[in-house]
Amino acid sequence: MVGFIRPPCDAGVVEATPAFDAGLSQRRKWLTVVATIVGSSMALLDSSVVNIALPAIQQALHADAAGTQWIVNAYLLLLGALVLIGGSAADLYGRRRIFVLGVAVFVAASIACGLSPNVAVLIVSRAVQGVGAALLTPASLAMLGATFGEQERTRAIGIWAGAGALTMAAGPSLGGWLVDQVSWRAIFLLNVPLAIAATALALRFACESSDPNAKQLDWSGSAAVAIGLAGITWGLSAIPASGIRDNAVLAALGVGTASLISFVVIEARLHDRAMMPLSLYRSRNFSAANALTLLLYFALGGALYYLPFGLIRLGGYSATEAGAALLPFALMMGFGASFAATMAERLGPRLLLTAGPIVAACGLAMLAFVDLSQAYWVGVFPPMFLLGVGMAITVPPLTSTVMGAAGKAHAGIASGIKNAVARVAGLLAVAALGAALFASFSYHLSATTPVQANEALNAVMSGQPAANAEAIAAFERALRTIMLMPASCAALAGLTGWIWIEPSGPRASS
């Protein structure tokens, strides 16, 4: 995932939010839509352009591979851990208030990112960006849902989704152009005018709304999941430099695992106050959809993180060209979903949730064997197109399965959980595939120590002249190897859909 597509159930959050009961003029309603589009697209655009800019950032700030991973992981960690509590805060304290607060935090962190003198400051700033995104994203969706009644909501969601599709399509190309023509810092500073526009529109036209039955915030659960994800992610990213048997690595992995287990215990004890009610997992379809999401978005997030490094370092692409190379995927994903939704209504979700991930797996497998130095239309275009088709087929029935399995009463929290799972999957993918990349890279180098292998890998990924032919060849082989891992995960997601999803389609529960 890592920013190139919206999570699978954003529209579900909108549909699950009760409409505001006061009469609003059409002008106020549609300008509220504009505010939510600008706010949510700001976060979507930022995370998509960062991936394209990573090679340039790594080179400019002299970051190693682990530090570069944390530029993405710090953002995803806080976003994934806090997005559910951000939705609860919006319901409890007011959706417009939390939206504006989230935009303010996000843009302040964006300015800090753009002015970062070193990679440490950039990582901390990206973490704060994740906090801002965890507030503004669910609040913007809930604010949109509260503004429109059922009769107008379909049109509003269509406009909002179409704007998101355009953002997905334009984001990587725009980011690449800014990196090449201005600076990687411009991709963060671009958020400033967008934040000003979103805040002004929200304060002027959006009405405040909240949920009188909103539950108290689940801080203990959020802390447990944040510590758990941080421990596992840090442990995986530290393996290249320290080794799998290092005491600090083992301790981090142990603490992370224990914290995630404690999160499950906390949620079980809190029952209705939990940010992730475990009772939802009694539904076969809901559990299956979560497993499928974890596998598929792990595959997507990992592949789209490392692909730009391959395009730029091995294929000789500029940042602009690397961003444009992703355009077929973004267009298919953004504009093919409506056709897939019609197919899902006719065929049921099980068939599409099997076929879609398998088609995506074929695209990822092709990326593992393609020669990145070939002409784009022969080499990169076919697998990117196929990956887009697979994801477009999968997302609409995945959303409908979640909503149907949870029932109307729990549709909002179920959608939020699904979105959080998608983001966490991307976080784990970057860290896990980073460890696998280093292991494969070291294997293909001639006799060398882990320290020397790590230095050689950093030299290749940052484009240093010191990178020799042997290291470049080892990186190419390692990249092919780890691309097969996302392909396997996507294929396993398809198998999960066939075995686990009920043949009769989603079964609603009240």
Side-chain angles (χ1 to χ4, degrees):
M1 116 120 194
V2 198
F4 285 95
I5 65 171
R6 289 187 184 276
C9 290
D10 274 356
V13 177
V14 179
E15 294 172 354
T17 304
F20 191 68
D21 57 4
L24 301 175
S25 68
Q26 290 298 309
R27 181 169 178 264
R28 291 193 68 173
K29 287 182 179 181
W30 292 108
L31 286 173
T32 299
V33 173
V34 175
T36 62
I37 287 172
V38 175
S40 59
S41 294
M42 179 175 66
L44 181 65
L45 179 66
D46 186 84
S47 51
S48 66
V49 299
V50 166
N51 274 41
I52 298 300
L54 283 175
I57 294 173
Q58 182 177 13
Q59 186 176 51
L61 298 183
H62 308 290
D64 59 15
T68 307
Q69 288 178 25
W70 274 103
I71 295 172
V72 170
N73 284 346
Y75 177 86
L76 289 176
L77 173 63
L78 273 298
L79 175 58
L82 298 179
V83 68
L84 289 176
I85 206 167
S88 298
D91 290 340
L92 185 63
Y93 298 115
R95 288 141 185 165
R96 185 182 67 175
R97 181 178 293 112
I98 296 300
F99 173 78
V100 172
L101 175 61
V103 170
V105 172
F106 192 91
V107 74
S110 296
I111 294 172
C113 288
L115 301 178
S116 296
N118 54 57
V119 71
V121 174
L122 180 57
I123 290 170
V124 172
S125 302
R126 285 283 288 166
V128 178
Q129 261 194 329
V131 175
L135 295 174
L136 77 88
T137 301
S140 69
L141 298 172
M143 195 164 65
L144 178 61
T147 302
F148 292 90
E150 292 185 5
Q151 294 181 346
E152 297 177 302
R153 188 172 287 178
T154 300
R155 184 185 175 198
I157 292 175
I159 293 173
W160 166 83
L166 291 174
T167 301
M168 289 188 294
S173 299
L174 174 61
W177 183 85
L178 287 173
V179 171
D180 285 337
Q181 302 300 323
V182 186
S183 167
W184 64 266
R185 299 179 185 276
I187 67 173
F188 297 109
L189 299 178
L190 178 66
N191 292 324
V192 175
L194 296 176
I196 293 173
T199 302
L201 288 168
L203 292 176
R204 176 65 180 85
F205 298 105
C207 287
E208 185 63 278
S209 64
S210 60
D211 183 356
N213 299 317
K215 57 190 178 184
Q216 294 298 311
L217 303 184
D218 180 8
W219 289 113
S220 57
S222 295
V225 75
I227 293 171
L229 292 174
I232 291 175
T233 304
W234 185 89
L236 291 172
S237 64
I239 288 175
S242 303
I244 187 64
R245 298 180 181 179
D246 181 76
N247 289 336
V249 170
L250 295 175
L253 294 174
V255 169
T257 303
S259 294
L260 291 181
I261 293 173
S262 70
F263 168 71
V264 175
V265 173
I266 290 169
E267 299 306 283
R269 289 179 177 175
L270 289 177
H271 299 292
D272 293 337
R273 288 183 51 239
M275 68 178 186
M276 191 183 75
L278 299 183
S279 59
L280 290 173
Y281 288 91
R282 295 171 184 167
S283 165
R284 171 177 167 177
N285 273 0
F286 186 79
S287 298
N290 270 287
L292 192 153
T293 300
L294 185 67
L295 289 167
L296 186 60
Y297 279 75
F298 180 99
L300 188 67
L304 293 183
Y305 175 88
Y306 288 100
L307 180 60
F309 285 98
L311 293 174
I312 292 172
R313 300 302 180 216
L314 300 176
Y317 285 58
S318 66
T320 304
E321 292 168 338
L326 304 176
L327 194 57
F329 165 76
L331 290 175
M332 284 304 304
M333 181 59 220
F335 296 105
S338 58
F339 175 71
T342 303
M343 291 177 57
E345 292 177 358
R346 295 179 179 179
L347 302 176
R350 186 189 185 202
L351 179 61
L352 296 186
L353 290 179
T354 301
I358 290 176
V359 172
C362 292
L364 292 169
M366 289 174 65
L367 280 176
F369 295 103
V370 72
D371 183 356
L372 296 177
S373 62
Q374 282 183 310
Y376 170 74
W377 297 105
V378 176
V380 178
F381 173 78
M384 292 308 300
F385 178 81
L386 206 58
L387 179 60
V389 170
M391 291 301 300
I393 291 173
T394 304
V395 170
L398 190 58
T399 299
S400 64
T401 299
V402 170
M403 300 293 285
K408 194 170 183 179
H410 299 100
I413 186 63
S415 300
I417 290 172
K418 185 62 60 187
N419 290 347
V421 169
R423 289 166 172 126
V424 168
L427 166 69
L428 296 176
V430 173
L433 292 184
L437 178 74
F438 176 76
S440 179
F441 178 81
S442 301
Y443 176 80
H444 289 108
L445 278 181
S446 58
T448 184
T449 66
V451 173
Q452 291 172 327
N454 194 38
E455 292 175 351
L457 178 60
N458 291 329
V460 175
M461 294 185 69
S462 62
Q464 296 177 17
N468 56 40
E470 183 192 13
I472 294 173
F475 177 70
E476 183 175 8
R477 293 176 181 175
L479 191 63
R480 293 181 187 278
T481 299
I482 67 164
M483 281 297 176
L484 289 175
M485 295 173 65
S488 300
C489 285
L492 187 57
L495 182 62
T496 299
W498 180 254
I499 294 176
W500 207 342
I501 297 293
E502 294 177 347
S504 58
R507 180 175 63 196
S509 59
S510 57

